[in-house]
Amino acid sequence: MTARRGWRAAARKRHRTPWKPVAVCAAVLILQLLMIWTDLRPYATGALVLGVLGAVLWWLWRTDRMVRDRDRAWREKEEVRAGRRTLADADAMTGTQFEELVAGLCRRDGCTDVRRVGGAGDNGVDVAGRLPDGRSMIIQCKRYAPHRAVASRDLRDLLGSRVHFGADVAICVTTARFSGPALTFAAGNGIATVHRDHVGLWNSGAALPSLLGISDAGQGDHRHRVRWKKTYG
C-alpha cells in the first residue's frame, strides 16, 4: 500500500507543469526584445508604413473599379435611351417614330435646337436644328421599305425647302436607298444623303458630321449594289 502511494506521488510530480522554467524563458525573451528594440524600431516602423500604404492603394483600386463598373452600366443605359436601335426596329417604326429617332440621334451627336417639324404644313422638313459647328440644318426623313428608292423629285422638294427656310445644310435620311438620278441631283446641289447603310452606322455610334463627309460616296460599287438587291429585292 505504501509503495502504491509513493508511485502515485511520483507520477503527479512528473506530470506537474514546469511553469518556473517557462516564466524564466519568457522573462529573458522580453528582456532581450527590450534591449534590441532600438535596432528593430526602424524595421517595425517601415513594415507598418508599408502595410498602411498597401491598404490605401488597395482601397483606391477597389474604389476605381467600382466607379468604372458604375460608369459602364450608366453608359449602356444611356445608349439605349439615346435610341440605338437596329435597322429591323427602324423598319418596324411609323414615319413619326422614325423622325423621332433621327431627332434623338442628332441630339446625341451634339446638335442643338433640334425639333421635329414633320406633319401637316411641314414644307418638306421633318427635323430641324443646328449642327455642332453652328450651321442650321433641315432633315427630310424617308422611312421606306428596303427595296424601294428615294426619287430625285423628293430631293427637289428638299432643295426648295432649304431655300424657303434659309438653311445652311439639307439632309435626306432614308431606310432605303437613293436612285441614280437622285444621287446625281444631290451631289450637284449640295444635299447630303444618308442611306440605309449609313443609318446603320449612325445607330451604331457614328457621328452625324462624319456621315455628312461621306454622303457623296454614294451607295458602294457594283458588287455592293448587287448584294443589296439580293438582300432586299
Side-chain angles (χ1 to χ4, degrees):
M1 189 68 177
T2 302
R4 181 178 297 176
R5 290 178 180 175
W7 176 81
R8 289 178 178 175
R12 286 196 297 271
K13 186 175 181 181
R14 285 195 304 268
H15 288 87
R16 189 176 298 168
T17 303
W19 61 271
K20 288 184 179 180
V22 173
V24 171
C25 292
V28 172
L29 180 61
I30 292 173
L31 289 175
Q32 289 179 344
L33 289 175
L34 291 175
M35 292 174 62
I36 64 175
W37 171 248
T38 303
D39 297 330
L40 293 178
R41 185 167 54 187
Y43 300 102
T45 303
L48 179 62
V49 170
L50 289 176
V52 172
L53 182 60
V56 171
L57 291 176
W58 176 85
W59 180 81
L60 291 174
W61 171 82
R62 183 172 177 272
T63 302
D64 178 73
R65 184 174 180 180
M66 293 175 61
V67 170
R68 288 177 182 271
D69 290 342
R70 285 197 297 264
D71 181 71
R72 181 166 56 252
W74 175 81
R75 289 182 182 277
E76 290 175 356
K77 292 180 180 178
E78 282 299 306
E79 288 173 355
V80 173
R81 293 192 189 102
R84 291 187 61 180
R85 301 177 177 89
T86 63
L87 287 172
D89 291 335
D91 290 335
M93 291 179 180
T94 64
T96 300
Q97 290 173 335
F98 183 62
E99 292 167 6
E100 292 288 356
L101 171 63
V102 170
L105 292 173
C106 290
R107 296 187 187 98
R108 183 203 70 187
D109 293 341
C111 298
T112 58
D113 300 330
V114 177
R115 62 192 185 281
R116 192 183 71 83
V117 188
D122 60 9
N123 293 308
V125 176
D126 298 313
V127 177
R130 289 188 176 276
L131 291 168
D133 59 11
R135 290 180 296 168
S136 59
M137 68 174 182
I138 57 172
I139 302 177
Q140 187 181 73
C141 301
K142 296 294 184 183
R143 200 212 61 74
Y144 287 168
H147 65 275
R148 291 185 58 186
V150 177
S152 58
R153 64 177 177 274
D154 295 319
L155 298 185
R156 289 192 184 94
D157 294 338
L158 181 58
L159 178 61
S161 299
R162 186 178 69 183
V163 175
H164 175 75
F165 286 96
D168 297 318
V169 179
I171 308 169
C172 185
V173 180
T174 181
T175 54
R177 61 183 182 87
F178 294 91
S179 67
L183 285 178
T184 301
F185 182 85
N189 291 276
I191 297 176
T193 54
V194 180
H195 57 73
R196 184 178 182 85
D197 289 348
H198 293 167
V199 171
L201 293 174
W202 201 5
N203 277 331
S204 300
L208 177 59
S210 67
L211 297 179
L212 300 183
I214 61 175
S215 65
D216 290 340
Q219 296 160 143
D221 57 15
H222 175 70
R223 289 178 298 177
H224 180 75
R225 290 192 294 272
V226 170
R227 288 194 299 268
W228 184 306
K229 187 173 181 179
K230 288 181 178 179
T231 302
Y232 302 117

